[in-house]
Amino acid sequence: MAALRMSAEFLGRRRRTLKSWFHRYAGLATGSASRFFPPAESAMLPPGSFNNKVAFITGGGTGLGRAMTSILSQLGAQCVIASRKLDVLQKTAEEISSQTGNKVHVVQCDVRDPQAVSQCVDQMESLTGLPDVIINNAAGNFICPSERLTPNGWKSITDIVLSGTAFTTLELGKRLIQNQKGASFLAITTIYAASGSGFVVPSASAKAGVEALYKSLAAEWGRYGHRFNIIQPGPIKTKGAFSRLDPTGTFEKSMIDRIPAGRLGTSAELANLAAYLSSDYATWMSGAVIRFDGGEFVSMAGEFNELRKVTPVQWKMMEAMIRSTKGS
């Protein structure tokens, strides 16, 4: 009996010690995997991959849109970028054209307004003709507890993201069908379009709608020579997005801690993926949803994934405890 009491006391002390060690040192076991996954940001595709092609990019003046415009222009495309802010578009167009030697056209457009979208497409047709590549990238988002969300807050996001994508896609699609011209359509959504997410409910709802739209049209409009694909980016640091989603700067570290690749993504990496999906190298891809997040989604989804923080010493102690457990 005395031996059993001593054994029980020993196991109790070991459990208490393990619990203390786990809470004290759990973060040290994670380390940084980023050294294994450095970003390669030069153009992936061969020069001239988009020669004689026209690419239309909404939200093309800043952030991810600018990065995609830059690489498509670099690869030979004649780009047309659209957003509400004409001065931003003009500055971006001049800078990219000076770097690539290819003309970047600007068209002012509020994608929330179907009449403005129609006029934008009219203007593009007169400049370049109908596009071969369409990238729906215009978006809006902000963090907000849903109990504080106003109808205007809901409408401001869903009008840009879902209605704007629908208006642009349907306007261009109808004209392309009428002219018997095929095209690649690409939408930029988010990893939480599939799962939903608190505090960004309008964005989650609208992005999910965009994905349903694109998958539906991939089935319906393939017969007209149209492809529809989707990229779901994880956290990629851009000034516009992070100023609204991480205004204090404290959320960035927690994001990196849960990404197995150990870092945020870069705009150039996403631009390379977008270029591939829009290129002739991907003509058999349609209806695809590509998660692009360094493993963040699966890291958050797994029930026991937090065990990656356990050190080898802690694993040895836990294994001994597991082996000593009797019964079911």
Side-chain angles (χ1 to χ4, degrees):
M1 292 294 292
L4 285 174
R5 281 197 300 272
M6 288 178 64
S7 177
E9 289 172 3
F10 173 74
L11 284 173
R13 286 197 302 272
R14 189 160 64 177
R15 285 190 174 94
R16 288 192 296 273
T17 301
L18 176 60
K19 186 176 181 181
S20 174
W21 279 16
F22 183 83
H23 286 296
R24 187 175 176 188
Y25 297 112
L28 299 179
T30 306
S32 175
S34 60
R35 68 185 186 278
F36 298 112
F37 304 107
E41 299 189 331
S42 58
M44 177 178 71
L45 296 179
S49 293
F50 286 86
N51 282 356
N52 304 314
K53 292 185 182 292
V54 174
F56 176 65
I57 304 100
T58 65
T62 59
L64 299 180
R66 178 188 174 114
M68 290 184 285
T69 302
S70 180
I71 200 161
L72 290 170
S73 180
Q74 183 181 336
L75 293 170
Q78 188 178 182
C79 294
V80 182
I81 55 177
S83 76
R84 286 175 290 172
K85 297 180 179 178
L86 189 59
D87 57 333
V88 173
L89 289 174
Q90 289 171 335
K91 182 180 179 184
T92 295
E94 290 168 5
E95 290 174 352
I96 292 176
S97 292
S98 68
Q99 293 165 2
T100 66
N102 291 318
K103 178 67 176 176
V104 178
H105 303 274
V106 303
V107 180
Q108 190 172 26
C109 182
D110 184 346
V111 297
R112 300 172 299 180
D113 178 357
Q115 187 64 37
V117 171
S118 179
Q119 292 170 357
C120 167
V121 177
D122 287 342
Q123 190 175 349
M124 177 170 52
E125 277 202 83
S126 67
L127 289 169
T128 63
L130 288 169
D132 305 276
V133 172
I134 299 99
I135 300 180
N136 276 292
N137 168 70
N141 199 4
F142 59 87
I143 51 173
C144 179
S146 295
E147 65 271 21
R148 298 174 62 89
L149 186 64
T150 66
N152 281 340
W154 171 272
K155 193 172 186 300
S156 67
I157 302 306
T158 57
D159 277 1
I160 297 170
V161 176
L162 179 54
S163 296
T165 298
F167 296 153
T168 303
T169 300
L170 294 171
E171 182 68 34
L172 280 164
K174 291 172 185 178
R175 298 198 195 196
L176 288 161
I177 291 168
Q178 186 176 7
N179 285 270
Q180 298 184 6
K181 180 174 182 176
S184 166
F185 290 78
L186 178 67
I188 309 300
T189 62
T190 176
I191 59 172
Y192 57 73
S195 63
S197 177
F199 303 99
V200 285
V201 168
S203 171
S205 303
K207 294 288 192 181
V210 168
E211 294 196 357
L213 169 71
Y214 262 49
K215 287 183 281 190
S216 300
L217 290 176
E220 185 180 348
W221 280 2
R223 58 189 170 149
Y224 298 124
H226 297 170
R227 299 189 297 117
F228 292 84
N229 293 299
I230 298 157
I231 300 176
Q232 296 178 334
I236 296 175
K237 190 168 185 177
T238 62
K239 181 181 177 182
F242 268 54
S243 64
R244 296 176 183 86
L245 301 178
D246 187 20
T248 66
T250 57
F251 194 44
E252 182 176 341
K253 183 182 183 302
S254 66
M255 283 190 285
I256 293 173
D257 286 344
R258 69 172 177 250
I259 296 173
R263 64 173 176 85
L264 302 179
T266 71
S267 297
E269 289 177 296
L270 181 129
N272 261 321
L273 177 57
Y276 167 70
L277 291 172
S278 302
S279 75
D280 290 342
Y281 294 92
T283 54
W284 211 51
M285 290 191 73
S286 191
V289 182
I290 310 297
R291 191 185 300 139
F292 187 67
D293 68 346
E296 182 188 26
F297 187 90
V298 292
S299 174
M300 293 188 292
E303 183 76 18
F304 292 94
N305 284 341
E306 286 301 298
L307 290 175
R308 67 184 182 273
K309 297 177 180 178
V310 177
T311 67
V313 171
Q314 291 167 346
W315 273 118
K316 187 175 181 180
M317 293 185 67
M318 287 199 297
E319 183 179 357
M321 292 172 64
I322 292 167
R323 287 179 180 276
S324 69
T325 301
K326 305 299 181 183
S328 59

